[in-house]
mmCIF file of all heavy atoms in Angstrom:
data_model
loop_
_atom_site.group_PDB
_atom_site.id
_atom_site.type_symbol
_atom_site.label_atom_id
_atom_site.label_comp_id
_atom_site.label_asym_id
_atom_site.label_seq_id
_atom_site.Cartn_x
_atom_site.Cartn_y
_atom_site.Cartn_z
ATOM 1 N N GLY A 23 14.719 -16.730 5.969
ATOM 2 C CA GLY A 23 15.993 -16.082 5.711
ATOM 3 C C GLY A 23 16.639 -16.394 4.382
ATOM 4 O O GLY A 23 17.711 -15.865 4.076
ATOM 5 N N THR A 24 16.001 -17.215 3.566
ATOM 6 C CA THR A 24 16.583 -17.562 2.267
ATOM 7 C C THR A 24 16.156 -16.545 1.205
ATOM 8 O O THR A 24 15.260 -15.725 1.421
ATOM 9 C CB THR A 24 16.115 -18.960 1.825
ATOM 10 O OG1 THR A 24 14.670 -18.950 1.676
ATOM 11 C CG2 THR A 24 16.512 -20.013 2.831
ATOM 12 N N ALA A 25 16.791 -16.647 0.034
ATOM 13 C CA ALA A 25 16.412 -15.779 -1.088
ATOM 14 C C ALA A 25 14.968 -16.049 -1.495
ATOM 15 O O ALA A 25 14.229 -15.127 -1.878
ATOM 16 C CB ALA A 25 17.354 -16.026 -2.265
ATOM 17 N N GLU A 26 14.555 -17.307 -1.401
ATOM 18 C CA GLU A 26 13.176 -17.670 -1.740
ATOM 19 C C GLU A 26 12.193 -17.033 -0.757
ATOM 20 O O GLU A 26 11.085 -16.628 -1.140
ATOM 21 C CB GLU A 26 13.011 -19.195 -1.735
ATOM 22 C CG GLU A 26 13.734 -19.925 -2.854
ATOM 23 C CD GLU A 26 15.238 -20.018 -2.635
ATOM 24 O OE1 GLU A 26 15.701 -19.813 -1.470
ATOM 25 O OE2 GLU A 26 15.965 -20.283 -3.609
ATOM 26 N N TYR A 27 12.608 -16.938 0.496
ATOM 27 C CA TYR A 27 11.766 -16.325 1.529
ATOM 28 C C TYR A 27 11.567 -14.841 1.221
ATOM 29 O O TYR A 27 10.444 -14.318 1.293
ATOM 30 C CB TYR A 27 12.448 -16.510 2.879
ATOM 31 C CG TYR A 27 11.591 -16.207 4.093
ATOM 32 C CD1 TYR A 27 10.740 -17.165 4.629
ATOM 33 C CD2 TYR A 27 11.662 -14.963 4.720
ATOM 34 C CE1 TYR A 27 9.981 -16.906 5.758
ATOM 35 C CE2 TYR A 27 10.907 -14.683 5.849
ATOM 36 C CZ TYR A 27 10.066 -15.658 6.364
ATOM 37 O OH TYR A 27 9.309 -15.385 7.482
ATOM 38 N N SER A 28 12.648 -14.164 0.863
ATOM 39 C CA SER A 28 12.560 -12.744 0.503
ATOM 40 C C SER A 28 11.622 -12.549 -0.678
ATOM 41 O O SER A 28 10.774 -11.646 -0.676
ATOM 42 C CB SER A 28 13.948 -12.197 0.153
ATOM 43 O OG SER A 28 14.793 -12.199 1.270
ATOM 44 N N GLN A 29 11.758 -13.375 -1.694
ATOM 45 C CA GLN A 29 10.928 -13.240 -2.889
ATOM 46 C C GLN A 29 9.467 -13.526 -2.576
ATOM 47 O O GLN A 29 8.569 -12.878 -3.122
ATOM 48 C CB GLN A 29 11.418 -14.181 -3.999
ATOM 49 C CG GLN A 29 10.753 -13.929 -5.347
ATOM 50 C CD GLN A 29 10.965 -12.505 -5.848
ATOM 51 O OE1 GLN A 29 12.106 -12.029 -5.913
ATOM 52 N NE2 GLN A 29 9.885 -11.819 -6.189
ATOM 53 N N ALA A 30 9.229 -14.471 -1.682
ATOM 54 C CA ALA A 30 7.849 -14.791 -1.301
ATOM 55 C C ALA A 30 7.188 -13.598 -0.616
ATOM 56 O O ALA A 30 6.002 -13.309 -0.842
ATOM 57 C CB ALA A 30 7.832 -16.009 -0.377
ATOM 58 N N ILE A 31 7.947 -12.879 0.211
ATOM 59 C CA ILE A 31 7.420 -11.679 0.876
ATOM 60 C C ILE A 31 7.106 -10.606 -0.162
ATOM 61 O O ILE A 31 6.047 -9.963 -0.126
ATOM 62 C CB ILE A 31 8.431 -11.139 1.908
ATOM 63 C CG1 ILE A 31 8.638 -12.146 3.038
ATOM 64 C CG2 ILE A 31 7.960 -9.799 2.480
ATOM 65 C CD1 ILE A 31 9.767 -11.786 3.988
ATOM 66 N N ILE A 32 8.022 -10.407 -1.085
ATOM 67 C CA ILE A 32 7.843 -9.391 -2.135
ATOM 68 C C ILE A 32 6.620 -9.705 -2.989
ATOM 69 O O ILE A 32 5.795 -8.823 -3.270
ATOM 70 C CB ILE A 32 9.113 -9.305 -3.001
ATOM 71 C CG1 ILE A 32 10.256 -8.688 -2.186
ATOM 72 C CG2 ILE A 32 8.860 -8.497 -4.269
ATOM 73 C CD1 ILE A 32 11.620 -8.835 -2.825
ATOM 74 N N ASP A 33 6.479 -10.951 -3.375
ATOM 75 C CA ASP A 33 5.329 -11.361 -4.201
ATOM 76 C C ASP A 33 4.021 -11.143 -3.452
ATOM 77 O O ASP A 33 3.017 -10.712 -4.039
ATOM 78 C CB ASP A 33 5.465 -12.835 -4.601
ATOM 79 C CG ASP A 33 6.596 -13.081 -5.576
ATOM 80 O OD1 ASP A 33 7.075 -12.113 -6.204
ATOM 81 O OD2 ASP A 33 7.012 -14.257 -5.721
ATOM 82 N N ALA A 34 4.033 -11.442 -2.164
ATOM 83 C CA ALA A 34 2.821 -11.281 -1.360
ATOM 84 C C ALA A 34 2.457 -9.810 -1.193
ATOM 85 O O ALA A 34 1.271 -9.443 -1.228
ATOM 86 C CB ALA A 34 3.011 -11.940 0.008
ATOM 87 N N MET A 35 3.446 -8.940 -1.024
ATOM 88 C CA MET A 35 3.157 -7.500 -0.922
ATOM 89 C C MET A 35 2.574 -6.980 -2.234
ATOM 90 O O MET A 35 1.637 -6.178 -2.235
ATOM 91 C CB MET A 35 4.410 -6.717 -0.537
ATOM 92 C CG MET A 35 4.668 -6.708 0.947
ATOM 93 S SD MET A 35 5.709 -5.320 1.521
ATOM 94 C CE MET A 35 7.305 -5.871 0.970
ATOM 95 N N ALA A 36 3.131 -7.426 -3.348
ATOM 96 C CA ALA A 36 2.632 -6.978 -4.653
ATOM 97 C C ALA A 36 1.177 -7.382 -4.858
ATOM 98 O O ALA A 36 0.426 -6.698 -5.566
ATOM 99 C CB ALA A 36 3.504 -7.553 -5.767
ATOM 100 N N ALA A 37 0.771 -8.479 -4.230
ATOM 101 C CA ALA A 37 -0.598 -8.986 -4.389
ATOM 102 C C ALA A 37 -1.560 -8.433 -3.336
ATOM 103 O O ALA A 37 -2.717 -8.850 -3.270
ATOM 104 C CB ALA A 37 -0.581 -10.508 -4.320
ATOM 105 N N THR A 38 -1.109 -7.467 -2.529
ATOM 106 C CA THR A 38 -1.939 -6.885 -1.463
ATOM 107 C C THR A 38 -3.263 -6.360 -2.019
ATOM 108 O O THR A 38 -3.302 -5.664 -3.033
ATOM 109 C CB THR A 38 -1.195 -5.729 -0.770
ATOM 110 O OG1 THR A 38 -0.026 -6.247 -0.126
ATOM 111 C CG2 THR A 38 -2.077 -5.048 0.265
ATOM 112 N N ASP A 39 -4.335 -6.689 -1.340
ATOM 113 C CA ASP A 39 -5.673 -6.228 -1.730
ATOM 114 C C ASP A 39 -6.549 -6.298 -0.487
ATOM 115 O O ASP A 39 -7.318 -7.232 -0.302
ATOM 116 C CB ASP A 39 -6.230 -7.114 -2.851
ATOM 117 C CG ASP A 39 -7.547 -6.585 -3.434
ATOM 118 O OD1 ASP A 39 -8.074 -5.589 -2.903
ATOM 119 O OD2 ASP A 39 -8.045 -7.176 -4.408
ATOM 120 N N SER A 40 -6.395 -5.309 0.387
ATOM 121 C CA SER A 40 -7.068 -5.383 1.681
ATOM 122 C C SER A 40 -7.284 -3.999 2.275
ATOM 123 O O SER A 40 -6.699 -3.014 1.821
ATOM 124 C CB SER A 40 -6.226 -6.237 2.637
ATOM 125 O OG SER A 40 -6.918 -6.497 3.831
ATOM 126 N N ASP A 41 -8.127 -3.947 3.294
ATOM 127 C CA ASP A 41 -8.398 -2.698 4.006
ATOM 128 C C ASP A 41 -7.398 -2.504 5.132
ATOM 129 O O ASP A 41 -7.110 -3.432 5.898
ATOM 130 C CB ASP A 41 -9.803 -2.715 4.599
ATOM 131 C CG ASP A 41 -10.887 -2.655 3.537
ATOM 132 O OD1 ASP A 41 -10.661 -2.006 2.505
ATOM 133 O OD2 ASP A 41 -11.951 -3.271 3.743
ATOM 134 N N TYR A 42 -6.893 -1.269 5.241
ATOM 135 C CA TYR A 42 -5.983 -0.901 6.319
ATOM 136 C C TYR A 42 -6.467 0.416 6.916
ATOM 137 O O TYR A 42 -7.476 0.978 6.463
ATOM 138 C CB TYR A 42 -4.548 -0.788 5.791
ATOM 139 C CG TYR A 42 -4.013 -2.105 5.274
ATOM 140 C CD1 TYR A 42 -4.092 -2.443 3.920
ATOM 141 C CD2 TYR A 42 -3.463 -3.032 6.151
ATOM 142 C CE1 TYR A 42 -3.625 -3.666 3.457
ATOM 143 C CE2 TYR A 42 -2.986 -4.257 5.695
ATOM 144 C CZ TYR A 42 -3.076 -4.567 4.344
ATOM 145 O OH TYR A 42 -2.618 -5.783 3.897
ATOM 146 N N VAL A 43 -5.768 0.926 7.898
ATOM 147 C CA VAL A 43 -6.212 2.147 8.577
ATOM 148 C C VAL A 43 -6.343 3.308 7.607
ATOM 149 O O VAL A 43 -7.304 4.078 7.660
ATOM 150 C CB VAL A 43 -5.240 2.505 9.723
ATOM 151 C CG1 VAL A 43 -5.562 3.890 10.291
ATOM 152 C CG2 VAL A 43 -5.310 1.464 10.828
ATOM 153 N N THR A 44 -5.387 3.459 6.693
ATOM 154 C CA THR A 44 -5.405 4.608 5.786
ATOM 155 C C THR A 44 -6.156 4.322 4.480
ATOM 156 O O THR A 44 -6.092 5.114 3.556
ATOM 157 C CB THR A 44 -3.967 5.061 5.454
ATOM 158 O OG1 THR A 44 -3.257 3.982 4.836
ATOM 159 C CG2 THR A 44 -3.247 5.495 6.711
ATOM 160 N N GLY A 45 -6.868 3.210 4.423
ATOM 161 C CA GLY A 45 -7.700 2.937 3.255
ATOM 162 C C GLY A 45 -7.456 1.562 2.664
ATOM 163 O O GLY A 45 -6.613 0.795 3.122
ATOM 164 N N HIS A 46 -8.217 1.275 1.631
ATOM 165 C CA HIS A 46 -8.041 0.005 0.922
ATOM 166 C C HIS A 46 -6.806 0.112 0.032
ATOM 167 O O HIS A 46 -6.655 1.081 -0.715
ATOM 168 C CB HIS A 46 -9.267 -0.305 0.054
ATOM 169 C CG HIS A 46 -9.237 -1.672 -0.536
ATOM 170 N ND1 HIS A 46 -9.774 -2.764 0.097
ATOM 171 C CD2 HIS A 46 -8.712 -2.138 -1.704
ATOM 172 C CE1 HIS A 46 -9.595 -3.845 -0.645
ATOM 173 N NE2 HIS A 46 -8.943 -3.484 -1.737
ATOM 174 N N VAL A 47 -5.922 -0.878 0.123
ATOM 175 C CA VAL A 47 -4.651 -0.815 -0.599
ATOM 176 C C VAL A 47 -4.518 -1.929 -1.619
ATOM 177 O O VAL A 47 -4.684 -3.110 -1.306
ATOM 178 C CB VAL A 47 -3.458 -0.886 0.380
ATOM 179 C CG1 VAL A 47 -2.134 -0.941 -0.384
ATOM 180 C CG2 VAL A 47 -3.470 0.314 1.323
ATOM 181 N N THR A 48 -4.249 -1.523 -2.858
ATOM 182 C CA THR A 48 -3.743 -2.416 -3.888
ATOM 183 C C THR A 48 -2.543 -1.702 -4.498
ATOM 184 O O THR A 48 -2.372 -0.495 -4.314
ATOM 185 C CB THR A 48 -4.788 -2.699 -4.989
ATOM 186 O OG1 THR A 48 -5.164 -1.456 -5.609
ATOM 187 C CG2 THR A 48 -6.029 -3.370 -4.420
ATOM 188 N N TYR A 49 -1.704 -2.449 -5.218
ATOM 189 C CA TYR A 49 -0.511 -1.844 -5.796
ATOM 190 C C TYR A 49 -0.545 -1.878 -7.318
ATOM 191 O O TYR A 49 -1.002 -2.853 -7.923
ATOM 192 C CB TYR A 49 0.750 -2.548 -5.290
ATOM 193 C CG TYR A 49 1.082 -2.186 -3.869
ATOM 194 C CD1 TYR A 49 0.753 -3.039 -2.820
ATOM 195 C CD2 TYR A 49 1.693 -0.970 -3.571
ATOM 196 C CE1 TYR A 49 1.041 -2.690 -1.507
ATOM 197 C CE2 TYR A 49 1.973 -0.612 -2.260
ATOM 198 C CZ TYR A 49 1.640 -1.471 -1.232
ATOM 199 O OH TYR A 49 1.916 -1.111 0.066
ATOM 200 N N ASP A 50 -0.055 -0.772 -7.927
ATOM 201 C CA ASP A 50 0.045 -0.733 -9.384
ATOM 202 C C ASP A 50 1.370 -1.359 -9.821
ATOM 203 O O ASP A 50 2.116 -1.913 -8.995
ATOM 204 C CB ASP A 50 -0.103 0.700 -9.913
ATOM 205 C CG ASP A 50 1.015 1.631 -9.456
ATOM 206 O OD1 ASP A 50 2.054 1.144 -8.948
ATOM 207 O OD2 ASP A 50 0.861 2.855 -9.615
ATOM 208 N N GLU A 51 1.679 -1.252 -11.102
ATOM 209 C CA GLU A 51 2.894 -1.883 -11.622
ATOM 210 C C GLU A 51 4.174 -1.235 -11.116
ATOM 211 O O GLU A 51 5.281 -1.776 -11.304
ATOM 212 C CB GLU A 51 2.875 -1.873 -13.155
ATOM 213 C CG GLU A 51 2.963 -0.513 -13.802
ATOM 214 C CD GLU A 51 1.594 0.147 -14.011
ATOM 215 O OE1 GLU A 51 0.658 -0.150 -13.230
ATOM 216 O OE2 GLU A 51 1.473 0.956 -14.950
ATOM 217 N N TYR A 52 4.061 -0.066 -10.458
ATOM 218 C CA TYR A 52 5.227 0.614 -9.890
ATOM 219 C C TYR A 52 5.290 0.456 -8.373
ATOM 220 O O TYR A 52 6.052 1.155 -7.698
ATOM 221 C CB TYR A 52 5.196 2.097 -10.260
ATOM 222 C CG TYR A 52 5.169 2.355 -11.744
ATOM 223 C CD1 TYR A 52 3.984 2.727 -12.376
ATOM 224 C CD2 TYR A 52 6.320 2.190 -12.512
ATOM 225 C CE1 TYR A 52 3.948 2.949 -13.755
ATOM 226 C CE2 TYR A 52 6.288 2.408 -13.890
ATOM 227 C CZ TYR A 52 5.099 2.781 -14.492
ATOM 228 O OH TYR A 52 5.069 2.988 -15.864
ATOM 229 N N ASN A 53 4.482 -0.449 -7.831
ATOM 230 C CA ASN A 53 4.428 -0.701 -6.380
ATOM 231 C C ASN A 53 3.950 0.504 -5.597
ATOM 232 O O ASN A 53 4.327 0.696 -4.427
ATOM 233 C CB ASN A 53 5.779 -1.179 -5.850
ATOM 234 C CG ASN A 53 6.121 -2.580 -6.302
ATOM 235 O OD1 ASN A 53 5.302 -3.261 -6.896
ATOM 236 N ND2 ASN A 53 7.334 -3.022 -6.029
ATOM 237 N N ASN A 54 3.117 1.331 -6.235
ATOM 238 C CA ASN A 54 2.511 2.467 -5.557
ATOM 239 C C ASN A 54 1.073 2.128 -5.185
ATOM 240 O O ASN A 54 0.331 1.592 -6.007
ATOM 241 C CB ASN A 54 2.523 3.700 -6.465
ATOM 242 C CG ASN A 54 3.930 4.180 -6.752
ATOM 243 O OD1 ASN A 54 4.775 4.208 -5.874
ATOM 244 N ND2 ASN A 54 4.194 4.549 -7.999
ATOM 245 N N PRO A 55 0.652 2.436 -3.964
ATOM 246 C CA PRO A 55 -0.712 2.101 -3.547
ATOM 247 C C PRO A 55 -1.747 2.973 -4.246
ATOM 248 O O PRO A 55 -1.518 4.159 -4.473
ATOM 249 C CB PRO A 55 -0.691 2.367 -2.042
ATOM 250 C CG PRO A 55 0.368 3.398 -1.858
ATOM 251 C CD PRO A 55 1.414 3.099 -2.891
ATOM 252 N N GLN A 56 -2.854 2.373 -4.566
ATOM 253 C CA GLN A 56 -3.973 3.088 -5.158
ATOM 254 C C GLN A 56 -4.934 3.469 -4.035
ATOM 255 O O GLN A 56 -5.605 2.618 -3.460
ATOM 256 C CB GLN A 56 -4.663 2.203 -6.200
ATOM 257 C CG GLN A 56 -3.718 1.687 -7.276
ATOM 258 C CD GLN A 56 -3.008 2.819 -8.016
ATOM 259 O OE1 GLN A 56 -3.616 3.552 -8.798
ATOM 260 N NE2 GLN A 56 -1.718 2.975 -7.761
ATOM 261 N N LYS A 57 -4.975 4.765 -3.704
ATOM 262 C CA LYS A 57 -5.728 5.237 -2.547
ATOM 263 C C LYS A 57 -6.352 6.599 -2.835
ATOM 264 O O LYS A 57 -5.982 7.270 -3.792
ATOM 265 C CB LYS A 57 -4.790 5.382 -1.329
ATOM 266 C CG LYS A 57 -4.009 4.156 -0.968
ATOM 267 C CD LYS A 57 -2.910 4.452 0.021
ATOM 268 C CE LYS A 57 -3.420 4.860 1.356
ATOM 269 N NZ LYS A 57 -2.345 5.026 2.359
ATOM 270 N N THR A 58 -7.281 6.993 -1.978
ATOM 271 C CA THR A 58 -7.791 8.355 -2.038
ATOM 272 C C THR A 58 -7.008 9.201 -1.024
ATOM 273 O O THR A 58 -6.304 8.669 -0.172
ATOM 274 C CB THR A 58 -9.287 8.413 -1.665
ATOM 275 O OG1 THR A 58 -9.461 7.825 -0.372
ATOM 276 C CG2 THR A 58 -10.128 7.652 -2.684
ATOM 277 N N ALA A 59 -7.141 10.525 -1.138
ATOM 278 C CA ALA A 59 -6.463 11.419 -0.204
ATOM 279 C C ALA A 59 -7.475 11.993 0.780
ATOM 280 O O ALA A 59 -8.654 12.155 0.461
ATOM 281 C CB ALA A 59 -5.800 12.556 -0.964
ATOM 282 N N ALA A 60 -6.992 12.292 1.960
ATOM 283 C CA ALA A 60 -7.800 13.011 2.944
ATOM 284 C C ALA A 60 -7.362 14.470 2.878
ATOM 285 O O ALA A 60 -6.175 14.775 2.997
ATOM 286 C CB ALA A 60 -7.575 12.448 4.335
ATOM 287 N N ILE A 61 -8.314 15.371 2.641
ATOM 288 C CA ILE A 61 -7.990 16.795 2.621
ATOM 289 C C ILE A 61 -8.215 17.363 4.020
ATOM 290 O O ILE A 61 -9.295 17.246 4.597
ATOM 291 C CB ILE A 61 -8.855 17.561 1.599
ATOM 292 C CG1 ILE A 61 -8.637 17.002 0.191
ATOM 293 C CG2 ILE A 61 -8.527 19.049 1.648
ATOM 294 C CD1 ILE A 61 -7.218 17.141 -0.336
ATOM 295 N N ILE A 62 -7.166 17.955 4.557
ATOM 296 C CA ILE A 62 -7.228 18.531 5.902
ATOM 297 C C ILE A 62 -7.236 20.053 5.792
ATOM 298 O O ILE A 62 -6.451 20.645 5.044
ATOM 299 C CB ILE A 62 -6.002 18.110 6.740
ATOM 300 C CG1 ILE A 62 -5.824 16.587 6.711
ATOM 301 C CG2 ILE A 62 -6.125 18.630 8.167
ATOM 302 C CD1 ILE A 62 -6.967 15.805 7.283
ATOM 303 N N THR A 63 -8.137 20.686 6.515
ATOM 304 C CA THR A 63 -8.159 22.147 6.580
ATOM 305 C C THR A 63 -7.910 22.570 8.031
ATOM 306 O O THR A 63 -7.677 21.724 8.900
ATOM 307 C CB THR A 63 -9.499 22.709 6.073
ATOM 308 O OG1 THR A 63 -9.411 24.137 5.957
ATOM 309 C CG2 THR A 63 -10.658 22.324 6.960
ATOM 310 N N PHE A 64 -7.911 23.857 8.278
ATOM 311 C CA PHE A 64 -7.635 24.369 9.630
ATOM 312 C C PHE A 64 -8.764 25.293 10.060
ATOM 313 O O PHE A 64 -9.144 26.210 9.321
ATOM 314 C CB PHE A 64 -6.307 25.121 9.665
ATOM 315 C CG PHE A 64 -5.115 24.255 9.357
ATOM 316 C CD1 PHE A 64 -4.721 24.029 8.053
ATOM 317 C CD2 PHE A 64 -4.391 23.655 10.379
ATOM 318 C CE1 PHE A 64 -3.628 23.239 7.755
ATOM 319 C CE2 PHE A 64 -3.304 22.858 10.104
ATOM 320 C CZ PHE A 64 -2.915 22.641 8.777
ATOM 321 N N VAL A 65 -9.274 25.043 11.243
ATOM 322 C CA VAL A 65 -10.343 25.863 11.813
ATOM 323 C C VAL A 65 -9.939 26.213 13.247
ATOM 324 O O VAL A 65 -9.638 25.314 14.050
ATOM 325 C CB VAL A 65 -11.690 25.113 11.816
ATOM 326 C CG1 VAL A 65 -12.771 25.975 12.478
ATOM 327 C CG2 VAL A 65 -12.090 24.705 10.406
ATOM 328 N N ASP A 66 -9.923 27.501 13.564
ATOM 329 C CA ASP A 66 -9.545 27.965 14.901
ATOM 330 C C ASP A 66 -8.190 27.400 15.345
ATOM 331 O O ASP A 66 -7.998 27.002 16.500
ATOM 332 C CB ASP A 66 -10.619 27.591 15.922
ATOM 333 C CG ASP A 66 -11.948 28.286 15.649
ATOM 334 O OD1 ASP A 66 -11.922 29.404 15.110
ATOM 335 O OD2 ASP A 66 -12.998 27.695 15.951
ATOM 336 N N GLY A 67 -7.255 27.345 14.399
ATOM 337 C CA GLY A 67 -5.910 26.897 14.719
ATOM 338 C C GLY A 67 -5.763 25.399 14.931
ATOM 339 O O GLY A 67 -4.742 24.957 15.450
#
């Protein structure tokens, strides 16, 4: 609950480099994940 605790969480998220359900996630300098997209189409509704 301290300010140091908050910063530790933020630092750890920025250092993310792992596999998750929607793909392998790392973050760029803008905290945006580097991922591929899944293209979805429609067949028979």
Side-chain angles (χ1 to χ4, degrees):
T24 62
E26 291 75 17
Y27 193 85
S28 294
Q29 190 58 52
I31 295 171
I32 290 167
D33 291 343
M35 277 202 285
T38 296
D39 187 355
S40 188
D41 291 327
Y42 296 95
V43 171
T44 60
H46 188 90
V47 175
T48 60
Y49 285 100
D50 64 14
E51 67 271 28
Y52 302 103
N53 289 352
N54 294 319
Q56 305 303 289
K57 305 168 67 175
T58 56
I61 300 298
I62 308 299
T63 189
F64 297 86
V65 177
D66 296 330

